[in-house]
Amino acid sequence: MWPIFGKKAAAPAPEPDLLARLRASWYEFDHLDEAQWQRLVDLAGRFIAAKRIVGAAGFAVDDTVRWTIALLACLPILELSLRAYSDFVDVIVYPDRFLVDRSQVDDAGVVHESRDILSGEAMDLGPVVLAWSDTVEDRERDGARVVVHEFVHKLDMASGAADGVPIGAEARSPGWGRILRASYEDFCARLDAIEAAIPAHVDPEGAGADAWYGQLGLDPYAATDPVEFFAVAGEAFFSDPWRLREDFPALFQAMCRYFGQDPTLGGETVR
């Protein structure tokens, strides 16, 4: 199931005070008991030893940045394997959101140019790119974790094709593809109903529509395709698990089996 590559020794642990601050700052770690937390720290140390976490646009990467990213990146693979992240080396960190120019050729052969402003991007067989400003601000937003989102994409890509079915999903959580597809279609139907209910005088792209979209439980971006639905639901699994369990119980249980964790509980490994 997992690509084979050498196991590297963990990077030296940072000051205990830093680990204590990070554990207290991110409630995604609250469900871990002491043994699980220590395993996560060890896994994050091996992640740091195997990867290059580098700054871009003048951003300086210190231990706080390095260990924050490593701990959040390794949380989804705590009961899986670091080998799932073997297709890349670099994690590139910008101070703020960054611009990406894209070109796309449509069926008629017409080239469409666009410029996107991103808080994160995971490239197939390439680096993960993150905006540190959004990483920090995520602590104030339930269900939003750009680091988890992008590394969940990496789990998806590790299966050979990004399709919402991450590496090992059907073995660890039988019926994954069927459950994810049904949940995605349900979400799209809910989004259609919400958009139809927004009054004509309310701009659906403006802040005034937030009260309607807030009923969804997931960011509307999840409706893009099953790939983004999995990534958005994956970050919600760790950062707003109670809402995900309420809105998509079958998907939540499938994720518990796949990730081997139940973030609504404390110190328990799901088998």
Side-chain angles (χ1 to χ4, degrees), residues 247-260:
D247 289 348
F248 299 97
L251 179 62
F252 178 81
Q253 292 302 323
M255 287 188 165
C256 285
R257 293 190 295 271
Y258 178 68
F259 292 116

Side-chain angles (χ1 to χ4, degrees), residues 26-32 40 71-80 85 141-145 147-149 151-152 155 230-242 244 252 255-256 258-264:
W26 297 89
Y27 60 78
E28 285 77 8
F29 306 137
D30 287 353
H31 68 285
L32 303 177
L40 180 63
L71 288 166
L72 289 171
C74 290
L75 184 60
I77 60 167
L78 179 60
E79 303 297 337
L80 299 171
Y85 293 161
R141 302 197 296 263
D142 290 343
R145 294 295 178 270
V147 176
V148 174
H149 181 108
F151 281 91
V152 164
L155 285 175
F230 169 49
V232 173
E235 59 183 313
F237 177 77
F238 289 103
S239 64
D240 196 6
W242 300 273
L244 185 69
F252 178 81
M255 287 188 165
C256 285
Y258 178 68
F259 292 116
Q261 305 173 54
D262 183 343
T264 66

